[in-house]
Amino acid sequence: MKIARVALDVPLPKLFDYACPEAGERDVGRRVVVPFGNRSLVGIIVAVSAETDVPAEKLRAAGPILDDMPSLSRDWLALARFAAEYYQRPLGEVVHAALPPRLRRPQPLRLATAAYALTEAGRAALPTLPSRARAQRALLERLASGPTSPASLGSPAALRAVIRAGWVGAVPAPRAPFRFVAEHALIAAQAAAVAAITAALDRYQAFLLAGVTGSGKTEVYLHCVAQALARGRQALLLVPEINLTPHLAETLARRFSGARIVTLTSALAANERAEAWLAAHTGGADVVLGTRLAVFAPLPKLGLVVVDEEHDASFKQQEGVRYSARDLAVYRAHAASVPAVLGSATPSLESWAHARSGRYRLLELPERARPGSRLPAVRLVDTRTDRAIDGLSEALAVAIRSRLDRGEQSLVFLNRRGYAPVLVCGACGWTGGCPRCTAHLVLHTADRRLRCHHCGHETAIPRHCPTCGNVALAPFGRGTQRLEETLAARFPGARLLRIDSDSTRAKGRWDAMRGAIVAGEAEILLGTQILAKGHDFPRVTLVGVINADAALVAVDYRGPERLFAQLHQVAGRAGRAQAPGEVLVQTRYPEHPLYQALARHAFAPFAESQLAERRAAGFPPFVHEAVLRAESEDMRHAIAFLQRALAAAPLSQDGIALFDPVPMSLARVAGRERAQVLAQSRSRRALQGFLGEWVQALYGLRSGKVRWHLDVDPIEF
Ligand code: ADP
Ligand code: ZN
Ligand code: ZN
């Protein structure tokens, strides 16, 4: 009897056995349609076996094996298995999170195949074919001379049979070799980095490319990608935001003429995403550029992994399988014996610590790459003496005015969208809160709504106070919409562009805005962190930071690291071309060490002092963490579940610290109360061993209406 062992997307930590007479070893890594309850699900065959523990009367028969794409490789399955074990999720959930949505549906794909070619198994089988298999034989012989388009292969039935047998597979259309277009002569530091990385192209080595803003990290990536491609390999390039992909995709297309570049993000339509994924899978894509989900792209010829802005929190998936794409990217490089390059102007403290310990190799780009371009001068504007009016200090207003006079661009950074973060009644103190979250409703005047930025709940702006009837409700605080109003009033006639997730929501909007910025059609850009990350706007010579002090009062130990990275990144937008840049940071605490370090562009000393604090306090990267979270409509139920979970924890807790259940800092979101238990250990292995046992016990607990999950290496508390 043949048993297919199938990974299914169900929240149980096991594989499911089905009778599958047609299954063979060649089907490992193929999709199969199976009955589950009264549903039909698509799963991945991870093993084929002769036996099963499922009693014969309970064993169900698998439906068809889908052979619409080449099977997933053992390497890819090993990646999924590693992620499942490390993040303590069922393999089926990981596999399904990793597949593009189109492939999770129990229907065969109908994508055009460019060409077919013999597999190794096919080459071996050809001489052994019995002479009566005439059609198959003819087909294999035809393919032995090279990849061939389906149209010229004749009998579809014979083709299906040889694909099923694993003798023939889809391959990309043959094309001319690519050409790398060099645009700049590398400066010395870039050349040294490229030399170090390319010298390691045939083995694993992780590099931390710590390069100041504008130091030409992208150029280093491109040169390394060129070398990997020249060896017939594929490159994986991860960026933290969808917004960063179009520009980089353009650059890649321009610089690698003839190469196939695919983009993988959640913004793609289902078919486009499946096509891009398959292009990676069949080896047709030379470069896969994408956001965190692209870390799961199957890459049979992987030759180089690059993670740009590696410090960015967006690389951590915050729901479902809570993986870190940066960490999985390093795992992949290791598994494939190829280099990983992690780049940032403000590396994460984890990576910085690895570089110090020698686990990663540190490559530094201490200067800007463009001739004549220097790091901007950072000035701290003390708002205790230069009082901000409507958010703007006199110093910043003067600086913007001078840019307008000179025809240069200013960028004003305020990391808060909407008009005002809260609506207040001056008479009774009522504030507009979200009924579903422990959060205020943000005032949006553009469409006259109050909106929750956590759950999306929204209402019309009330005409009077719901508690006392007062009609004079006032906005408190400032968001980008309000600042836009102020700037428009202060600089009449100046061309303003507000850039936040409200103004860029519609597809293509951000791309159009970026074009307008680069073309010089806007004079003052104001916006949130969308503007801070990785963009190159050569006309910007002034950056103004409006209200960063709020973030100084950190809610968790990562607060300072995040704030420094954000401000350093946004400051780095200034003066990227010849004209010198200037950064003004408005603050009430100019003497604060974080601002002092920022003003001196002193990342390394800042990182060292943060690491010293973390070491003293026993925080990552000096300990490893995981949290067990529980969510319920009622906080008491969540806490009670966590208490039972603690009672069910394995008895052997050597080197593991388990803390009491506490509500999360944002306790309620979308009507659900959230609490968690923190587990810490100095040993990653001890923590992994403990979690592995604990999670088994957790699956056995009755949780009622409480939903729970483990988050390994959490970044939210
Ligand atoms: P980073 O990603 O390190 O902030 P970028 O890669 O965006 O920096 O490079 C900043 C600017 O410098 C870009 O406009 C790029 O074209 C330019 N540049 C990079 N390398 C060189 C070089 N060797 N010579 C001249 N200009 C360069
Ligand atoms: Zn009131
Ligand atoms: Zn809400």
Side-chain angles (χ1 to χ4, degrees), residues 504-553:
T504 56
R505 186 153 297 142
K507 198 174 167 156
R509 275 303 285 147
W510 166 239
D511 234 17
M513 287 185 176
R514 192 169 54 76
I517 297 170
V518 172
E521 286 157 22
E523 292 164 304
I524 304 177
L525 327 173
L526 81 121
T528 57
Q529 42 87 28
I530 297 185
L531 278 178
K533 294 185 184 178
H535 302 292
D536 196 27
F537 301 134
R539 293 169 196 265
V540 171
T541 60
L542 170 71
V543 166
V545 175
I546 294 299
N547 178 14
D549 286 349
L552 276 182
V553 203

Short mmCIF file of all heavy atoms in Angstrom, two decimals, residues 504-553:
data_model
loop_
_atom_site.label_atom_id
_atom_site.label_comp_id
_atom_site.label_asym_id
_atom_site.label_seq_id
_atom_site.Cartn_x
_atom_site.Cartn_y
_atom_site.Cartn_z
N THR A 504 -1.15 57.74 0.02
CA THR A 504 -0.52 56.85 -0.97
C THR A 504 -1.26 55.53 -1.12
O THR A 504 -0.76 54.60 -1.73
CB THR A 504 0.94 56.51 -0.56
OG1 THR A 504 0.93 55.95 0.75
CG2 THR A 504 1.81 57.73 -0.57
N ARG A 505 -2.47 55.47 -0.53
CA ARG A 505 -3.16 54.18 -0.49
C ARG A 505 -3.48 53.63 -1.88
O ARG A 505 -3.26 52.46 -2.16
CB ARG A 505 -4.45 54.30 0.33
CG ARG A 505 -5.14 52.96 0.52
CD ARG A 505 -5.95 52.96 1.79
NE ARG A 505 -5.10 53.14 2.96
CZ ARG A 505 -5.42 53.87 4.03
NH1 ARG A 505 -6.57 54.50 4.07
NH2 ARG A 505 -4.58 53.97 5.03
N ALA A 506 -3.98 54.50 -2.75
CA ALA A 506 -4.40 54.02 -4.07
C ALA A 506 -3.20 53.50 -4.84
O ALA A 506 -2.09 54.05 -4.75
CB ALA A 506 -5.08 55.14 -4.84
N LYS A 507 -3.42 52.43 -5.58
CA LYS A 507 -2.34 51.80 -6.33
C LYS A 507 -1.68 52.79 -7.29
O LYS A 507 -2.34 53.55 -7.97
CB LYS A 507 -2.91 50.60 -7.12
CG LYS A 507 -1.83 49.65 -7.55
CD LYS A 507 -2.39 48.40 -8.21
CE LYS A 507 -1.18 47.74 -8.85
NZ LYS A 507 -1.20 46.40 -9.10
N GLY A 508 -0.36 52.81 -7.29
CA GLY A 508 0.35 53.68 -8.22
C GLY A 508 0.56 55.09 -7.72
O GLY A 508 1.32 55.87 -8.30
N ARG A 509 -0.13 55.48 -6.62
CA ARG A 509 -0.02 56.85 -6.11
C ARG A 509 1.41 57.16 -5.67
O ARG A 509 1.97 58.20 -5.99
CB ARG A 509 -0.94 57.06 -4.89
CG ARG A 509 -2.36 57.43 -5.23
CD ARG A 509 -2.44 58.67 -6.08
NE ARG A 509 -2.19 59.91 -5.36
CZ ARG A 509 -1.61 60.99 -5.87
NH1 ARG A 509 -1.18 60.97 -7.12
NH2 ARG A 509 -1.44 62.06 -5.15
N TRP A 510 1.97 56.25 -4.90
CA TRP A 510 3.30 56.51 -4.37
C TRP A 510 4.32 56.63 -5.49
O TRP A 510 5.20 57.51 -5.47
CB TRP A 510 3.69 55.43 -3.36
CG TRP A 510 5.15 55.45 -3.04
CD1 TRP A 510 6.04 54.45 -3.21
CD2 TRP A 510 5.90 56.55 -2.49
NE1 TRP A 510 7.29 54.85 -2.82
CE2 TRP A 510 7.24 56.14 -2.38
CE3 TRP A 510 5.56 57.86 -2.11
CZ2 TRP A 510 8.24 56.97 -1.89
CZ3 TRP A 510 6.57 58.68 -1.63
CH2 TRP A 510 7.89 58.25 -1.52
N ASP A 511 4.18 55.77 -6.48
CA ASP A 511 5.09 55.82 -7.61
C ASP A 511 5.02 57.17 -8.30
O ASP A 511 6.05 57.76 -8.66
CB ASP A 511 4.71 54.72 -8.60
CG ASP A 511 5.89 53.83 -8.90
OD1 ASP A 511 6.87 53.88 -8.11
OD2 ASP A 511 5.85 53.12 -9.91
N ALA A 512 3.79 57.67 -8.48
CA ALA A 512 3.60 58.97 -9.13
C ALA A 512 4.22 60.06 -8.27
O ALA A 512 4.89 60.98 -8.76
CB ALA A 512 2.11 59.24 -9.34
N MET A 513 4.01 59.97 -6.94
CA MET A 513 4.57 60.99 -6.05
C MET A 513 6.09 60.97 -6.08
O MET A 513 6.74 62.01 -6.10
CB MET A 513 4.09 60.75 -4.62
CG MET A 513 2.63 61.11 -4.41
SD MET A 513 2.26 60.92 -2.66
CE MET A 513 0.57 61.49 -2.63
N ARG A 514 6.65 59.78 -6.08
CA ARG A 514 8.10 59.67 -6.11
C ARG A 514 8.66 60.32 -7.38
O ARG A 514 9.64 61.06 -7.35
CB ARG A 514 8.52 58.20 -6.04
CG ARG A 514 9.99 57.99 -5.77
CD ARG A 514 10.28 56.53 -5.45
NE ARG A 514 9.78 55.61 -6.48
CZ ARG A 514 10.36 55.42 -7.65
NH1 ARG A 514 11.45 56.07 -7.96
NH2 ARG A 514 9.83 54.60 -8.52
N GLY A 515 7.93 60.08 -8.49
CA GLY A 515 8.33 60.71 -9.75
C GLY A 515 8.32 62.22 -9.63
O GLY A 515 9.24 62.91 -10.06
N ALA A 516 7.26 62.74 -9.01
CA ALA A 516 7.11 64.19 -8.87
C ALA A 516 8.23 64.75 -7.99
O ALA A 516 8.75 65.84 -8.25
CB ALA A 516 5.74 64.52 -8.27
N ILE A 517 8.61 64.01 -6.96
CA ILE A 517 9.67 64.48 -6.06
C ILE A 517 11.00 64.55 -6.81
O ILE A 517 11.70 65.56 -6.79
CB ILE A 517 9.82 63.54 -4.84
CG1 ILE A 517 8.53 63.54 -4.00
CG2 ILE A 517 11.01 63.95 -3.98
CD1 ILE A 517 8.49 62.47 -2.92
N VAL A 518 11.30 63.46 -7.52
CA VAL A 518 12.58 63.40 -8.22
C VAL A 518 12.63 64.46 -9.32
O VAL A 518 13.67 65.07 -9.57
CB VAL A 518 12.82 61.98 -8.77
CG1 VAL A 518 14.05 61.95 -9.66
CG2 VAL A 518 12.98 60.98 -7.62
N ALA A 519 11.48 64.72 -9.96
CA ALA A 519 11.44 65.72 -11.03
C ALA A 519 11.44 67.14 -10.48
O ALA A 519 11.43 68.12 -11.23
CB ALA A 519 10.21 65.48 -11.91
N GLY A 520 11.39 67.28 -9.17
CA GLY A 520 11.42 68.62 -8.59
C GLY A 520 10.09 69.34 -8.64
O GLY A 520 10.02 70.56 -8.54
N GLU A 521 9.01 68.59 -8.80
CA GLU A 521 7.70 69.25 -8.89
C GLU A 521 7.11 69.58 -7.53
O GLU A 521 6.06 70.22 -7.45
CB GLU A 521 6.72 68.34 -9.67
CG GLU A 521 7.03 68.34 -11.16
CD GLU A 521 6.49 67.10 -11.84
OE1 GLU A 521 5.55 66.49 -11.28
OE2 GLU A 521 7.01 66.75 -12.91
N ALA A 522 7.74 69.13 -6.46
CA ALA A 522 7.26 69.50 -5.13
C ALA A 522 8.39 70.23 -4.43
O ALA A 522 9.56 69.96 -4.66
CB ALA A 522 6.89 68.25 -4.34
N GLU A 523 8.01 71.21 -3.56
CA GLU A 523 9.04 71.97 -2.86
C GLU A 523 9.16 71.55 -1.40
O GLU A 523 10.24 71.52 -0.84
CB GLU A 523 8.73 73.47 -2.95
CG GLU A 523 8.89 73.98 -4.38
CD GLU A 523 8.22 75.33 -4.58
OE1 GLU A 523 7.00 75.45 -4.31
OE2 GLU A 523 8.92 76.26 -5.00
N ILE A 524 8.00 71.27 -0.80
CA ILE A 524 8.04 70.79 0.59
C ILE A 524 7.37 69.43 0.64
O ILE A 524 6.22 69.27 0.23
CB ILE A 524 7.29 71.76 1.54
CG1 ILE A 524 7.86 73.18 1.41
CG2 ILE A 524 7.40 71.27 2.98
CD1 ILE A 524 7.12 74.21 2.26
N LEU A 525 8.11 68.43 1.11
CA LEU A 525 7.52 67.11 1.28
C LEU A 525 7.26 66.96 2.76
O LEU A 525 8.12 67.28 3.58
CB LEU A 525 8.49 66.01 0.87
CG LEU A 525 9.44 66.33 -0.27
CD1 LEU A 525 10.45 65.21 -0.45
CD2 LEU A 525 8.62 66.53 -1.54
N LEU A 526 6.07 66.52 3.11
CA LEU A 526 5.90 66.24 4.52
C LEU A 526 5.30 64.87 4.64
O LEU A 526 4.46 64.47 3.82
CB LEU A 526 5.03 67.31 5.19
CG LEU A 526 3.54 67.17 5.03
CD1 LEU A 526 2.90 67.06 6.38
CD2 LEU A 526 3.01 68.37 4.30
N GLY A 527 5.76 64.12 5.61
CA GLY A 527 5.22 62.78 5.70
C GLY A 527 5.77 61.98 6.84
O GLY A 527 6.54 62.46 7.67
N THR A 528 5.31 60.73 6.85
CA THR A 528 5.64 59.80 7.92
C THR A 528 6.86 58.97 7.51
O THR A 528 7.54 59.30 6.56
CB THR A 528 4.45 58.86 8.15
OG1 THR A 528 4.17 58.22 6.91
CG2 THR A 528 3.22 59.62 8.61
N GLN A 529 7.04 57.86 8.20
CA GLN A 529 8.22 57.03 7.95
C GLN A 529 8.29 56.46 6.53
O GLN A 529 9.34 55.99 6.13
CB GLN A 529 8.35 55.92 8.98
CG GLN A 529 7.09 55.21 9.36
CD GLN A 529 6.80 54.06 8.43
OE1 GLN A 529 7.72 53.50 7.86
NE2 GLN A 529 5.54 53.73 8.27
N ILE A 530 7.19 56.57 5.77
CA ILE A 530 7.28 56.15 4.37
C ILE A 530 8.42 56.88 3.68
O ILE A 530 9.11 56.35 2.82
CB ILE A 530 5.96 56.49 3.62
CG1 ILE A 530 4.80 55.72 4.21
CG2 ILE A 530 6.10 56.21 2.13
CD1 ILE A 530 3.51 55.91 3.47
N LEU A 531 8.61 58.15 4.09
CA LEU A 531 9.64 58.99 3.47
C LEU A 531 11.03 58.68 3.99
O LEU A 531 12.03 59.06 3.39
CB LEU A 531 9.36 60.46 3.78
CG LEU A 531 8.34 61.15 2.91
CD1 LEU A 531 8.15 62.56 3.40
CD2 LEU A 531 8.81 61.16 1.47
N ALA A 532 11.09 58.01 5.14
CA ALA A 532 12.38 57.87 5.80
C ALA A 532 13.24 56.78 5.18
O ALA A 532 14.45 56.86 5.17
CB ALA A 532 12.17 57.58 7.28
N LYS A 533 12.57 55.76 4.67
CA LYS A 533 13.30 54.54 4.33
C LYS A 533 13.92 54.54 2.95
O LYS A 533 13.23 54.62 1.96
CB LYS A 533 12.33 53.36 4.41
CG LYS A 533 11.85 53.10 5.80
CD LYS A 533 11.00 51.88 5.86
CE LYS A 533 10.44 51.71 7.26
NZ LYS A 533 9.56 50.55 7.36
N GLY A 534 15.21 54.40 2.92
CA GLY A 534 15.92 53.99 1.71
C GLY A 534 15.79 54.81 0.44
O GLY A 534 16.39 54.46 -0.56
N HIS A 535 15.01 55.89 0.43
CA HIS A 535 14.83 56.59 -0.83
C HIS A 535 15.98 57.54 -1.11
O HIS A 535 16.62 58.04 -0.21
CB HIS A 535 13.51 57.36 -0.83
CG HIS A 535 12.33 56.50 -0.59
ND1 HIS A 535 11.92 55.56 -1.51
CD2 HIS A 535 11.51 56.37 0.47
CE1 HIS A 535 10.88 54.92 -1.02
NE2 HIS A 535 10.61 55.38 0.18
N ASP A 536 16.18 57.76 -2.38
CA ASP A 536 17.24 58.67 -2.79
C ASP A 536 16.59 59.85 -3.49
O ASP A 536 16.13 59.74 -4.62
CB ASP A 536 18.18 57.91 -3.75
CG ASP A 536 19.50 58.65 -3.92
OD1 ASP A 536 19.89 59.39 -3.00
OD2 ASP A 536 20.12 58.48 -4.98
N PHE A 537 16.47 60.98 -2.78
CA PHE A 537 15.88 62.19 -3.36
C PHE A 537 16.98 63.25 -3.45
O PHE A 537 17.20 64.00 -2.49
CB PHE A 537 14.74 62.72 -2.48
CG PHE A 537 13.62 61.74 -2.27
CD1 PHE A 537 13.10 61.54 -0.99
CD2 PHE A 537 13.06 61.04 -3.33
CE1 PHE A 537 12.05 60.66 -0.79
CE2 PHE A 537 12.01 60.16 -3.13
CZ PHE A 537 11.51 59.96 -1.85
N PRO A 538 17.64 63.34 -4.59
CA PRO A 538 18.83 64.20 -4.68
C PRO A 538 18.55 65.68 -4.42
O PRO A 538 19.47 66.42 -4.06
CB PRO A 538 19.31 64.00 -6.12
CG PRO A 538 18.62 62.79 -6.62
CD PRO A 538 17.38 62.62 -5.83
N ARG A 539 17.28 66.15 -4.59
CA ARG A 539 17.05 67.59 -4.43
C ARG A 539 16.77 68.02 -3.00
O ARG A 539 16.65 69.21 -2.72
CB ARG A 539 15.85 68.02 -5.27
CG ARG A 539 16.11 67.91 -6.76
CD ARG A 539 14.79 68.09 -7.49
NE ARG A 539 14.90 67.63 -8.86
CZ ARG A 539 15.18 68.44 -9.88
NH1 ARG A 539 15.32 69.73 -9.68
NH2 ARG A 539 15.27 67.94 -11.09
N VAL A 540 16.63 67.05 -2.10
CA VAL A 540 16.32 67.41 -0.72
C VAL A 540 17.60 67.86 -0.01
O VAL A 540 18.57 67.13 0.06
CB VAL A 540 15.72 66.21 0.05
CG1 VAL A 540 15.61 66.52 1.54
CG2 VAL A 540 14.36 65.84 -0.53
N THR A 541 17.58 69.10 0.50
CA THR A 541 18.77 69.57 1.23
C THR A 541 18.44 69.87 2.69
O THR A 541 19.33 70.17 3.48
CB THR A 541 19.34 70.85 0.59
OG1 THR A 541 18.32 71.86 0.62
CG2 THR A 541 19.78 70.59 -0.84
N LEU A 542 17.15 69.83 3.04
CA LEU A 542 16.77 70.10 4.43
C LEU A 542 15.81 69.01 4.91
O LEU A 542 14.86 68.66 4.22
CB LEU A 542 16.07 71.46 4.53
CG LEU A 542 15.42 71.77 5.88
CD1 LEU A 542 16.48 72.02 6.96
CD2 LEU A 542 14.49 72.98 5.78
N VAL A 543 16.09 68.51 6.12
CA VAL A 543 15.13 67.62 6.77
C VAL A 543 14.77 68.23 8.11
O VAL A 543 15.65 68.62 8.87
CB VAL A 543 15.74 66.20 6.97
CG1 VAL A 543 14.88 65.38 7.93
CG2 VAL A 543 15.86 65.48 5.63
N GLY A 544 13.48 68.35 8.37
CA GLY A 544 13.02 68.86 9.66
C GLY A 544 12.27 67.75 10.40
O GLY A 544 11.42 67.09 9.81
N VAL A 545 12.61 67.54 11.66
CA VAL A 545 11.93 66.50 12.44
C VAL A 545 11.03 67.20 13.45
O VAL A 545 11.50 68.01 14.25
CB VAL A 545 12.94 65.58 13.16
CG1 VAL A 545 12.22 64.60 14.06
CG2 VAL A 545 13.80 64.85 12.13
N ILE A 546 9.73 66.92 13.39
CA ILE A 546 8.78 67.70 14.16
C ILE A 546 8.60 67.25 15.60
O ILE A 546 8.88 67.98 16.51
CB ILE A 546 7.41 67.73 13.45
CG1 ILE A 546 7.55 68.49 12.13
CG2 ILE A 546 6.35 68.40 14.30
CD1 ILE A 546 7.99 69.92 12.29
N ASN A 547 8.14 66.08 15.85
CA ASN A 547 7.88 65.75 17.25
C ASN A 547 8.33 64.34 17.55
O ASN A 547 7.55 63.41 17.50
CB ASN A 547 6.39 65.92 17.55
CG ASN A 547 6.09 65.55 18.98
OD1 ASN A 547 7.00 65.42 19.81
ND2 ASN A 547 4.81 65.35 19.28
N ALA A 548 9.62 64.21 17.83
CA ALA A 548 10.14 62.88 18.10
C ALA A 548 10.19 62.60 19.60
O ALA A 548 10.28 61.45 20.01
CB ALA A 548 11.53 62.73 17.49
N ASP A 549 10.09 63.65 20.41
CA ASP A 549 10.24 63.47 21.86
C ASP A 549 9.30 62.41 22.42
O ASP A 549 9.66 61.67 23.33
CB ASP A 549 10.00 64.79 22.60
CG ASP A 549 11.17 65.75 22.41
OD1 ASP A 549 12.21 65.30 21.89
OD2 ASP A 549 11.02 66.93 22.78
N ALA A 550 8.09 62.37 21.87
CA ALA A 550 7.10 61.42 22.39
C ALA A 550 7.68 60.01 22.42
O ALA A 550 7.42 59.24 23.35
CB ALA A 550 5.84 61.46 21.52
N ALA A 551 8.49 59.68 21.41
CA ALA A 551 9.02 58.32 21.32
C ALA A 551 10.20 58.08 22.26
O ALA A 551 10.67 56.96 22.39
CB ALA A 551 9.43 58.02 19.88
N LEU A 552 10.68 59.15 22.91
CA LEU A 552 11.79 58.97 23.86
C LEU A 552 11.35 58.17 25.08
O LEU A 552 12.13 57.46 25.70
CB LEU A 552 12.31 60.32 24.35
CG LEU A 552 13.31 61.06 23.49
CD1 LEU A 552 13.73 62.34 24.19
CD2 LEU A 552 14.52 60.20 23.18
N VAL A 553 10.08 58.35 25.43
CA VAL A 553 9.54 57.61 26.56
C VAL A 553 9.17 56.23 26.02
O VAL A 553 8.05 55.99 25.60
CB VAL A 553 8.27 58.30 27.12
CG1 VAL A 553 8.06 57.89 28.55
CG2 VAL A 553 8.38 59.80 26.99
#
